[in-house]
Amino acid sequence: GSTAYNKSLGGSIISINKSLYQLTHIAPIDNIKYRNIGNSIILDENEEITLSNKEEGFISDILTVDQKYYSLEDVYEIKIKLSSKKIKQVISEKKNFYEQLKNIFIGE
């Protein structure tokens, strides 16, 4: 799911054993007025990203998170950090994470 989606956007594959997260642009605008670094940013569990537009707010912007939509009307700052909540993942005893990646993206 998220690994393949992020890879299709030019992001990296992060080991499942690391407490890291990644910010990857989706269809970025890159011109004189709006600049971006063009690469994903990988952050550790203690780092936080702050998006702000203190003058105008995010007016008519919408934030989407896993099929949920949030209006950003009257929002002037968004803070993003890695959650302390963990999910359980089914891991095959036959193949480890890297073998699964190899089979999915490279093949036998």
Side-chain angles (χ1 to χ4, degrees), residues 38-99:
N39 296 86
S40 293
I41 301 171
I42 298 174
L43 303 127
D44 73 24
E45 61 190 332
N46 301 311
E47 294 180 283
E48 182 177 88
I49 297 170
T50 301
L51 306 174
S52 65
N53 190 347
K54 295 186 180 192
E55 294 173 12
E56 300 175 8
F58 293 98
I59 305 170
S60 61
D61 294 324
I62 297 172
L63 174 68
T64 62
V65 179
D66 297 332
Q67 302 174 359
K68 294 181 182 178
Y69 296 84
Y70 303 93
S71 170
L72 297 179
E73 185 175 341
D74 298 323
V75 173
Y76 294 84
E77 187 173 85
I78 301 168
K79 292 184 181 265
I80 303 165
K81 64 182 183 176
L82 189 64
S83 174
S84 60
K85 295 178 183 178
K86 303 292 180 191
I87 61 169
K88 293 182 180 183
Q89 184 175 8
V90 177
I91 299 173
S92 170
E93 292 180 13
K94 296 178 182 177
K95 297 179 183 175
N96 69 31
F97 177 70
Y98 298 103
E99 289 174 352

Side-chain angles (χ1 to χ4, degrees), residues 21-35:
Y21 67 109
Q22 183 170 185
L23 178 66
T24 304
H25 293 277
I26 298 174
I29 298 171
D30 192 9
N31 58 34
I32 294 171
K33 185 174 179 183
Y34 302 102
R35 305 293 299 166

